[in-house]
Amino acid sequence: MAQMVHGFGGGTADGDASMKDLLGGKGANLAEMARLGLPVPAGFTLTTEVCNHYSDEGRRPPALEGQVAAAITRVEGIMGGRFGDTEDPLLLSVRSGAPVSMPGMMDTVLNLGLNDEIVEGLARRTGDRRFAFDAYRRLLQMYGDVVLGISGGDPNPFEARLEAKKQDRGVQYDVELDAEALEELVGELKSLIEEATGEPFPQDPRQQLWGAIEAVFESWDTPRAVAYRKIHEIPSHWGTAANVQAMVFGNRGSRCATGVAFTRDPSNGERRFYGEYLVNAQGEDVVAGIRTPLPLNRASKAAGPADISMEEEFPEAYAELDRIRGLLEAHYKDMQDVEFTVQDERLWMLQTRSGKRTGPAAVRIAVDMLDEGLIEEKEALQRVEPEQLTQLLVPVFDRKGLEQAREDGRLLATGLAAGPGAATGVITFSADEAVACAAQGSKAILVRIETSPDDIQGMHAAEGILTSRGGMTSHAAVVARGMGKTCVAGCGALEIDYATGVMRVAGKVLQRGDAISLDGGTGEVFAGTQEVRESQILRVLQGELAEGESSIYGAFERLLTASDRHSRLGVRTNADTPHDARIARRLGARGIGLCRTEHMFFEGERITSVRKMILAKTEEGRKKALAELLPMQRRDFDGIFRAMDGLPVTIRTLDPPLHEFLPREAAEIAELAQQMGVSTEHLQSVVAALEESNPMLGHRGCRLGIAYPEITAMQARAIFEAAVQVAADGVDVLPEVMIPLVAYEAELEHQRRVVVDTAEAVFAEAGRRVDYLVGTMIELPRACLVAERIAAHADFFSFGTNDLTQTTLGLSRDDAGRFLPLYLERGIYDGDPFARLDRSGVGQLVVLGTQRGRLTKPDLKVGICGEHGGEPTSIAFCHGAGLDYVSCSPYRVPVARLAAAQAVLREG
Amino acid sequence: MAQMVHGFGGGTADGDASMKDLLGGKGANLAEMARLGLPVPAGFTLTTEVCNHYSDEGRRPPALEGQVAAAITRVEGIMGGRFGDTEDPLLLSVRSGAPVSMPGMMDTVLNLGLNDEIVEGLARRTGDRRFAFDAYRRLLQMYGDVVLGISGGDPNPFEARLEAKKQDRGVQYDVELDAEALEELVGELKSLIEEATGEPFPQDPRQQLWGAIEAVFESWDTPRAVAYRKIHEIPSHWGTAANVQAMVFGNRGSRCATGVAFTRDPSNGERRFYGEYLVNAQGEDVVAGIRTPLPLNRASKAAGPADISMEEEFPEAYAELDRIRGLLEAHYKDMQDVEFTVQDERLWMLQTRSGKRTGPAAVRIAVDMLDEGLIEEKEALQRVEPEQLTQLLVPVFDRKGLEQAREDGRLLATGLAAGPGAATGVITFSADEAVACAAQGSKAILVRIETSPDDIQGMHAAEGILTSRGGMTSHAAVVARGMGKTCVAGCGALEIDYATGVMRVAGKVLQRGDAISLDGGTGEVFAGTQEVRESQILRVLQGELAEGESSIYGAFERLLTASDRHSRLGVRTNADTPHDARIARRLGARGIGLCRTEHMFFEGERITSVRKMILAKTEEGRKKALAELLPMQRRDFDGIFRAMDGLPVTIRTLDPPLHEFLPREAAEIAELAQQMGVSTEHLQSVVAALEESNPMLGHRGCRLGIAYPEITAMQARAIFEAAVQVAADGVDVLPEVMIPLVAYEAELEHQRRVVVDTAEAVFAEAGRRVDYLVGTMIELPRACLVAERIAAHADFFSFGTNDLTQTTLGLSRDDAGRFLPLYLERGIYDGDPFARLDRSGVGQLVVLGTQRGRLTKPDLKVGICGEHGGEPTSIAFCHGAGLDYVSCSPYRVPVARLAAAQAVLREG
């Protein structure tokens, strides 16, 4: 750690953009810009190693002061003036800068080097007393907050004094305060500091500088920063750098300005220079929204023609900025987010970094830059976060409309953003109401305490689903995402009363039939209707819009086609209906990885047959009821097979416990009893007998098929009858029968025998065979541990990571909501384990299960069909674990395709 | 496989007792007895290899017929007569004999070699026509059943004809049928066979012989035998041997007899010759109980002085048998179970094997034989099945009384034998009723559909517990075994109606207050009272009986003291009260491995404070309620620490979800609301909010302690305040605080900090320290998989194999009852996984968790505290896995001590 300080400025630098680990992102880019000859105020960076030294030793390294003093001398040489000098003072800023961006964690102190004497010198030297005291009051504010830790209250005590002063002078904006007012304010802020700390504001510029530097380093170990790093898996030993830089002033009169700009439009990716600036202001004024900023150029002026753009007001500085824009894009080969200051018409660059962008913008920019020859295909594929693609598929609320709704006080509550998109409709409190509402052509929002499989029809019919209970992987959330429906789940602020048809929230009472709007992107719930914009991509896929009419479809399609060229993992979909299967196929799914048959059991009159089966006392009675179901199941599979012509379709045999198919409420039981022609007492006793303490660990999965082989046989018959039927029509059908919840090899052996015997019988009857596979879901820890035995009876494995997570962690996804937020906050879980695969625990079992399964069958096909199959980090894990495919809900197929490609590209 | 047939008889044999694998148990012992010069009818054994050849090839090996023919010739040479000869016929028997005993699986055919012609020859030769036809009708019966498979009905068709014939002749016993009647019966049985099979009974003796041999071999692969082997882990490739032996006849008149004898008393182990015999009968008549057998000797005559003992009736044969008794014990060095036949006053030995014995007998015999110098200590320790020791601790019903109850039709139903012993009392349908009943000095049986922690007081007060739902590890079963209470669980035949206070079973209606009796050894439920005998051992341990007054205490104590000399695994107990702790300590527990604190929360007024805590809306409110609990918890621990002076006490912090402490029924909620001074609606909403879909996987274990650290802190304070208090009184206290349900190292880190901080605070206040440990239960698969991380924060691990089994297998112990019987029957589970540790799955995790934990801490103390800690095969597994101790319920401590020793001895 010989060199602790790296200088930059004057057309050269001690570092460059590759040195982010040592200099932090901001410092490395300042050095890079200096090397490029861009107008960067001179300065120097204290390395991350210095930060670590502070953390470890609690004090600055011995040689540091000397190196800093030398660096300041160099800055003085380049920029003119002297730090601490009363006649020609140089002011400095200190900004933190970690190797990766940690938004909201960064500490900054500007205008260091002022004191009661120097401020007078600055006023004299610049001939601008107002500016000098504005700079001083800013220093006092930031130093007091960041270094001295005087905060609390909203606004904080410094802001409060500033506000009071503006009121006192009857002005609206800071900039309207004159020199005298600012001088008064400075006096008040100094008193505030002395009262709060018992010490006067330090008048020694060097003490100020070290105070700011050390505050930056200490900020690395605040609980907030530690928690943030834990969540984002940023190692603590990285440390942050501290950037000390000569101040340039955007607040020194009307020929000064400051602003931020993006080299392309961050909202839609268009190749236009986009930004905002403020005259006579310092950088934080733009971000803080103290005044409304002005547009950067004429092209951006549409909204407010009265505004004067920077292009008009500062034509030379703008031209220079525009030149630098091109230079930076060519150099960094990515859209840049820059901060700049204009001091007396002269442009200074304060920061450049890759700009944040929306999903559509990310796709557009990646594909455009590929076309422009700036980047190669592999690079383009890594420029889009897979998760961002979901933004291209969901309907969204108009942004202006949302702001208006918030202003109008129509934001009712915020729940979990559990299903994508935006939905507006009228409140319905039951599946039946939702269905009836939709049948009348109205848009319904299904509002439930929580949903159950009984509600499937209502969820289908509704525009969106709102629940007061349940987490990101509650029934409502999982099913909604599977359907691509908007869902806000676990919105605990709601009090729902089915009986009176009323929902209470935030002191308001909403009735059945009242309009509400759900934002699936934020989890916000609004009273009233909001204007919705439909996804272009889906309209193109559904033939409602020509490809050419969409601004984004072409880029989306090209990005995903490119993804498929690189990925090794296949992407399938979880789909239970021909409709879902078709959508998923259009979105690029190469087969169905999970077709749940139980949802089919709820539709229409089927549930009656299912209930007859459950109530039957004999195998004979069950077979009779199953015979009624057979043609309906066959029709389901027929449609799905046709939709997936040429692609494999994995069908899971019945999984949920039988009590899920029976009603629970006394009234419903009585009604059903009458319908079934049995006594209410009898039905009640059947329902009671089927009740389970822990249904998740109960009589379900293959345990049902073993107790009632006739159910498996009926399902297998429906599958194979449909298969030979569509095969006769020339469809290339590839059924894969999947047995759930296997823990013992004998279970799979038993169920496989039932399936194979049924298949052979159907083939013999039909005089036609089709190829098929029989495999199993691996969703219990024991199955992973004895995978080598289970593989002997399996043609494929598909990891059911939802249940595997529940059992490995001992965590019910329906109940986890109660402590999950606490666990995330404390960093015990580094993410919702149902959203993001727990690599350390569940991941070990996935690896083990795969390896052991392949010990027995080296070519065993292995996939994953839990919710994790659509989550990028989990997909990367599956790639690493050597799986063959992931399966996810239809609307996540594009995410998975891109993530699968990135997993390969990251291997290098 | 050159030698397929091994001969024996005439004072010599081709094999010996060591050749059980090849000759089966029966064949090897017949050979051994022949070598010893004992009077064994000559014969020969077809080896298990021949059986395997049959299984594999489906036909007899080519050279077999020649070897069998030669062996028959040898038998004819020794015994006289010729097989198939009409003038001097030799008859043969064929009996199966596997390497290990498979009771009820054995097939036997006697009297082979008779046909219509030979029977006349036999009648002539013996001058006893009645005998000849009795032998023929027996052949027809057994051959028809075993070889031709004519069965079905109860009695089977052959028995039915025999019964009809006896009715027809107006006689009671078979032996009263005369020659003419038997000749008629022979004709009828032959017709029956011809009708059933379409073929006449084979007249060729050789065809009969091969038919019988092949039936024996085929019996190895019947579904019943396959299932039995799977359950008992007997490899299929072992095969069974077939023993062909010359017939000797106990049914050839009044100077003939047959019997069974034990070289010592199998019910109490006394060194007296014990047995039964029948005059003029064949072996199966004794077993089948066709006539009441007579006592073997004068000493056994007490019961029926009118009977004539064998000692009196056949003095010479008896003297010979008594001589052989001594010879066999000296030779086999174990109590023998022999079968013999007396033919014309001459004694023949048909079988010898180690005799089955009760628990008390096993202990007595092992210790006696050690004293007699017959066996060494290590051998004595292996002569008792650990499980048998439980029989020495439980009260039992008088055997005669039980027989009477069955005859009187008072057997109501049979459930699972879930808790040991025998209990008689009056029916109570709630915990309160049971408590009230006990308070009035009456004995109560608590009858519930299922039990919950709410019922603990009632279970304590009751003599026994009867449930209609739940398996061997249901709440009722686990708690009952922990208390040493008699329990019959999952007795599905009961219909319990709390409302009307009525229990319906087997067409009977029993009211609240009616007497019933539960046999915890068999699961039988009887109407009315049964006489109970209390365990001598417990009376000695409780000081109610002097050691010398007990016939068994001395042997019991010596056996266990010897066990401790050999074992490496420590044995602790699961105990929640000073009373249980004291009993366990007297039974040899070397500490407490699991003290559950939640049971303490239900006692008396505590539940009120617990409920106040749950209903509190703030941490402040919770702390106030916890402060009320503190002195009570401290008293609990005080008592336990004193009882365990000098031994470690592992205390688990609160584990169950909070809703277990709240009532569920509307009426109870309303009552509690009034008591608590809150509205019923509020309490209902609290109860509803705490409801969980899968409580097993919900907000429980350390998740509670992390959400409410004040609960852990209160418990830690109670522990350490009690510890310093008893330490001040000179008690050597070793508290070990155990955190449940840890899956992530951060959970343990958090809870450990709370415990350590509390301990230090208490020590500072008290001015006294005690040594203590903080560890964790390993009961989730993830904990095993990341054990190396968790170990960093743990002083010890204790595997909670109940929950580990539930999660690894995805199997709720409360719900498994629904399909467990089916799974056991089909051999999918090779035992109830909650009773017997699943080695392949759960066992892997135990091994992994232990190894990984010790990677971090080589000396990490590791134990097990699930129900498996008291089950012998699981204890052997724990020994092999390198655990330090097992912990089990008090009454299983002796079982565990012996099993721990046997685990070492089996290593050789």
Side-chain angles (χ1 to χ4, degrees), chain B residues 445-466:
Chain B
I445 301 290
L446 179 61
V447 179
R448 300 284 298 167
I449 295 171
E450 53 196 346
T451 63
S452 76
D454 268 336
D455 297 320
I456 297 282
Q457 290 304 312
M459 295 172 80
H460 256 303
E463 293 296 304
I465 297 115
L466 171 62

Side-chain angles (χ1 to χ4, degrees), chain B residues 553-584:
Chain B
Y553 179 81
F556 173 79
E557 193 55 37
R558 280 183 56 206
L559 189 82
L560 290 175
T561 308
S563 295
D564 295 346
R565 274 197 292 276
H566 294 275
S567 55
R568 187 188 58 69
L569 269 179
V571 177
R572 295 191 184 185
T573 191
N574 303 341
D576 311 337
T577 65
H579 172 260
D580 285 357
R582 273 189 295 270
I583 288 187

Side-chain angles (χ1 to χ4, degrees), chain A residues 436-572:
Chain A
C437 181
Q440 289 163 17
S442 298
K443 292 182 172 180
I445 301 291
L446 178 62
V447 179
R448 301 283 299 167
I449 295 170
E450 55 194 345
T451 63
S452 76
D454 268 337
D455 297 320
I456 296 282
Q457 290 304 312
M459 295 173 79
H460 256 304
E463 293 295 304
I465 297 115
L466 171 63
T467 68
S468 61
R469 217 187 268 167
M472 287 299 282
T473 52
S474 62
H475 178 267
V478 172
V479 173
R481 282 200 294 277
M483 293 178 177
K485 287 263 182 219
T486 303
C487 177
V488 173
C491 189
L494 308 183
E495 278 181 46
I496 297 169
D497 187 341
Y498 295 140
T500 56
V502 150
M503 168 175 110
R504 288 188 191 79
V505 56
K508 293 195 176 63
V509 180
L510 286 94
Q511 312 275 349
R512 177 181 289 122
D514 287 352
I516 52 169
S517 300
L518 310 180
D519 189 331
T522 62
E524 289 172 321
V525 181
F526 296 93
T529 54
Q530 290 298 123
E531 200 182 319
V532 174
R533 290 187 303 159
E534 164 76 300
S535 149
Q536 281 190 349
I537 306 269
L538 284 184
R539 287 167 65 205
V540 172
L541 288 177
Q542 289 162 5
E544 296 163 18
L545 192 73
E547 289 188 24
E549 289 178 86
S550 165
S551 61
I552 190 66
Y553 179 81
F556 174 79
E557 192 56 36
R558 281 184 55 205
L559 189 83
L560 289 175
T561 307
S563 295
D564 295 346
R565 274 196 291 276
H566 294 276
S567 55
R568 186 188 58 68
L569 268 180
V571 176
R572 295 192 184 183

Side-chain angles (χ1 to χ4, degrees), chain A residues 689-691 693-697 703 744 747 782 785 808-810 812 815 818 823 829 838 844 852, chain B residues 689-691 693-697 703 744 747 782 785 808-810 812 815 818 823 829 838 840 844 852:
Chain A
L690 285 174
E691 230 170 57
S693 305
N694 295 288
M696 165 63 210
L697 310 176
R703 295 162 190 169
Y744 287 75
E747 295 175 314
R782 191 181 198 276
L785 294 165
T808 304
L809 273 55
S812 164
D815 305 313
R818 219 157 296 176
Y823 266 47
Y829 293 161
D838 161 43
Q844 273 197 59
R852 292 191 176 174
Chain B
L690 286 174
E691 230 170 56
S693 305
N694 295 288
M696 166 62 210
L697 309 175
R703 296 162 189 168
Y744 287 75
E747 294 174 315
R782 191 181 198 277
L785 294 165
T808 305
L809 274 54
S812 164
D815 304 312
R818 217 156 299 176
Y823 266 47
Y829 293 161
D838 160 45
S840 310
Q844 273 196 58
R852 292 189 177 175

Side-chain angles (χ1 to χ4, degrees), chain B residues 623-822:
Chain B
K623 281 188 172 165
K624 211 174 132 212
L626 286 165
E628 294 176 11
L629 283 170
L630 175 64
M632 306 189 235
Q633 280 253 294
R634 191 171 53 220
R635 268 200 304 281
D636 294 324
F637 298 134
D638 183 288
I640 289 171
F641 288 150
R642 288 179 200 272
M644 281 285 151
D645 186 2
L647 297 177
V649 176
T650 308
I651 299 166
R652 180 176 71 183
T653 53
L654 193 67
D655 184 51
L658 296 181
H659 52 73
E660 284 202 8
F661 299 100
L662 295 178
R664 286 192 187 180
E665 307 290 326
E668 289 176 275
I669 293 175
E671 189 188 325
L672 178 63
Q674 199 172 18
Q675 197 182 323
M676 293 268 146
V678 299
S679 76
T680 304
E681 290 68 35
H682 172 65
L683 188 56
Q684 261 164 347
S685 74
V686 171
V687 171
L690 286 174
E691 230 170 56
E692 292 184 310
S693 305
N694 295 288
M696 166 62 210
L697 309 175
H699 196 185
R700 51 169 288 235
C702 66
R703 296 162 189 168
L704 285 177
I706 288 170
Y708 310 113
E710 54 275 14
I711 298 180
T712 307
M714 182 282 284
Q715 295 200 296
R717 178 161 281 276
I719 291 167
F720 293 111
E721 285 185 355
V724 294
Q725 190 170 296
V726 302
D729 293 348
V731 172
D732 184 10
V733 62
L734 298 161
E736 304 182 340
V737 183
M738 180 159 72
I739 309 299
L741 212 73
V742 164
Y744 287 75
E745 62 269 29
E747 294 174 315
L748 182 57
E749 194 180 2
H750 177 279
Q751 290 288 284
R752 183 188 183 94
R753 174 64 29 226
V754 174
V755 173
V756 169
D757 288 350
T758 307
E760 292 304 324
V762 171
F763 297 160
E765 292 160 21
R768 175 188 289 274
R769 304 184 65 83
V770 299
D771 286 337
Y772 68 98
L773 303 179
V774 184
T776 181
M777 270 181 96
I778 301 288
E779 50 187 336
L780 294 174
R782 191 181 198 277
C784 300
L785 294 165
V786 301
E788 74 282 5
R789 299 190 204 167
I790 291 174
H793 310 285
D795 300 324
F796 64 88
F797 278 1
S798 180
F799 285 96
T801 50
N802 295 352
D803 281 3
L804 191 58
T805 297
Q806 296 199 80
T807 45
T808 305
L809 274 54
L811 188 67
S812 164
R813 67 180 193 187
D814 295 323
D815 304 312
R818 217 156 299 176
F819 54 92
L820 195 61
L822 177 71

Side-chain angles (χ1 to χ4, degrees), chain A residues 679-753:
Chain A
S679 77
T680 304
E681 290 68 34
H682 172 65
L683 188 56
Q684 260 166 346
S685 74
V686 171
V687 171
L690 285 174
E691 230 170 57
E692 291 184 310
S693 305
N694 295 288
M696 165 63 210
L697 310 176
H699 196 184
R700 50 168 291 234
C702 66
R703 295 162 190 169
L704 285 176
I706 288 169
Y708 310 113
E710 55 275 13
I711 298 180
T712 307
M714 182 281 284
Q715 295 200 296
R717 178 162 282 276
I719 291 167
F720 292 110
E721 286 184 355
V724 294
Q725 190 171 295
V726 300
D729 293 348
V731 172
D732 184 9
V733 61
L734 298 160
E736 304 182 342
V737 182
M738 180 158 72
I739 309 298
L741 212 73
V742 164
Y744 287 75
E745 63 270 29
E747 295 175 314
L748 182 57
E749 194 180 1
H750 177 279
Q751 290 286 284
R752 183 186 183 94
R753 173 65 28 226

